[in-house]
Amino acid sequence: MSRFMKIESGRPVGAASTTKKAGQSAAPGFTVAAEAPAKTTAATSVGGVTALDAILALQTDEPPAQRRARQTKRGRDALDALEKLERGLVMGSAPGALKVELESLQHGGELTGEAGLDAVLLEIDIRLAVEVAKLERGLTRG
């Protein structure tokens, strides 16, 4: 017995460009609108899927524990970067690459669903934003 089935149509496929006059009915109980729209608009094209869109699409199917672990790691990494910044400022200069690291950590935040963890991560994100702004201001002055 074959796994594939041949499907045949009883009538040929033709163009669906025939129109009915306003008074004619399409089927019993249905009527065609008296006035057709004068102009149709083309759908706007959708740009290519960016890497961020792909990542967000993948994250929607992840378990909450995995998102929580990822955000906890991001929070620890952010605290480590802030500590490096503090050490650099105490020594007299902060490494230039540290600003890029702080900015990347700042943009990776998302809610975990745990109120306490989310509150702590929000405070870390605020501190990151403040320090990045200070570094920006310092660069524009110098």
Side-chain angles (χ1 to χ4, degrees), residues 19-27 30-35:
T19 57
K20 294 187 176 190
K21 294 191 182 193
Q24 295 178 337
S25 63
F30 293 98
T31 60
V32 178
E35 293 181 21

Side-chain angles (χ1 to χ4, degrees), residues 41-126:
T41 58
T44 58
S45 64
V46 177
V49 176
T50 63
L52 179 59
D53 292 337
I55 291 171
L56 291 175
L58 290 173
Q59 289 176 354
T60 58
D61 293 336
E62 74 179 347
Q66 191 175 7
R67 182 176 36 245
R68 185 173 45 249
R70 185 179 57 254
Q71 288 303 304
T72 301
K73 180 185 180 323
R74 187 186 69 84
R76 285 187 185 123
D77 291 346
L79 291 174
D80 290 344
L82 289 168
E83 189 175 332
K84 281 190 252 179
L85 175 64
E86 181 183 21
R87 280 194 308 263
L89 292 173
V90 167
M91 299 301 270
S93 68
L98 191 54
K99 179 181 174 287
V100 175
E101 182 180 354
L102 290 171
E103 287 174 331
S104 69
L105 289 166
Q106 180 184 2
H107 297 294
E110 61 183 317
L111 295 176
T112 64
E114 290 185 22
L117 179 58
D118 288 340
V120 170
L121 290 171
L122 178 63
E123 289 182 29
I124 292 171
D125 288 341
I126 291 170

